[in-house]
Amino acid sequence: EIVSFALHPNKHLIATGEAGPKPCITIWDTESLEAVSTIRGFHEQSVEQLAFSADGSKLAGVGGDEEHQMSIYLWEQRRRIFSGKCGPRKVLDCCFGDADSVVTCGVNHINFWVKDGTTITRRRGIFGQNGKVQALTCLTPCGANMLSGTVSGHIYVWLGRNCMRAIRAHGGCVNTLFTSPHGIVSGGKDKKVKLWTLSLEPGSTFDMSAFGSSPSVRSACLSQDGTKVLVGTKGSDVFQ
């Protein structure tokens, strides 16, 4: 069973993670459909999250074991350069941020994995007065900031490990966030897709409630030229 999926920045390679006692991570060529690299031997039960770095050289994975071990690989060499424990709470997303730092988030937590000299240190996110401790469902980098979606319908803006701002974005859980040079897309349980500028000023809103059998938005992204939005729903429909 494939439980995680990541697209390489070159758009020609994908990584998949599976479930099983000794799950492996496989990197595939989308044109030849052949496996380019297979990584195994570290994660247990499943590989629940995967993310490539901005330059595509590194691959981060989060396991489904009790401590949700996070690993970073130089995937072409099949070499693990870091591993650490996210903790017992379920991890719902993982992505790379500034300077190849890694961010993981999930039920009532967010962790920032940053270089500290020659090592990588886990630092817990500080919600402070701007945020409320709750499940964080999705992540996307935006310049020097990291954005996270929440079950309350807010987008949290993080600088370093501090929550700097909370934006009311949706009338239900924010299920997906996507950043491109043309702006940001968010999609929610409220069946709406919203466009934002890179400074998070609101733009167009698309109401999906009349489309398909179960139009809660689970995935949304912009085309490379910024002229089209691709939307996936809970009802297994895809709309352009």
Side-chain angles (χ1 to χ4, degrees), residues 9 23 25 47 111 127 169 176 180-181 192 220-221:
I25 300 167
V47 182
N111 290 319
F127 289 84
T176 181
S180 83
K192 290 183 172 61
C221 60

Side-chain angles (χ1 to χ4, degrees), residues 4-26:
S4 57
F5 197 107
L7 179 66
H8 192 279
N10 69 12
K11 306 290 194 291
H12 295 301
L13 297 173
I14 58 171
T16 55
E18 65 180 9
K22 289 291 180 183
C24 70
I25 300 167
T26 307

Side-chain angles (χ1 to χ4, degrees), residues 217-238:
V217 178
R218 301 307 301 268
S219 175
C221 60
L222 277 169
S223 60
Q224 288 190 328
D225 62 4
T227 62
K228 299 182 183 71
V229 183
L230 193 66
V231 181
T233 68
K234 187 179 179 181
S236 300
D237 293 313
V238 178

Side-chain angles (χ1 to χ4, degrees), residues 91-169:
V91 177
L92 299 175
D93 204 359
C94 167
C95 80
F96 279 85
D98 262 2
D100 274 359
S101 63
V102 175
V103 184
T104 56
C105 75
V107 176
N108 296 355
H109 77 280
I110 183 168
N111 290 319
F112 295 84
W113 305 81
V114 295
K115 279 190 175 179
D116 187 1
T118 56
T119 62
I120 296 176
T121 304
R122 183 188 76 169
R123 296 177 180 169
R124 292 177 182 170
I126 299 171
F127 289 84
Q129 295 183 339
N130 295 315
K132 170 190 172 186
V133 178
Q134 59 178 307
L136 305 181
T137 53
C138 51
L139 295 165
T140 189
C142 182
N145 297 317
M146 182 63 64
L147 309 181
S148 68
T150 69
V151 293
S152 66
H154 291 81
I155 296 173
Y156 285 174
V157 182
W158 301 84
L159 182 61
R161 62 184 180 129
N162 296 293
C163 181
M164 306 301 292
R165 188 178 167 198
I167 300 163
R168 182 68 179 176

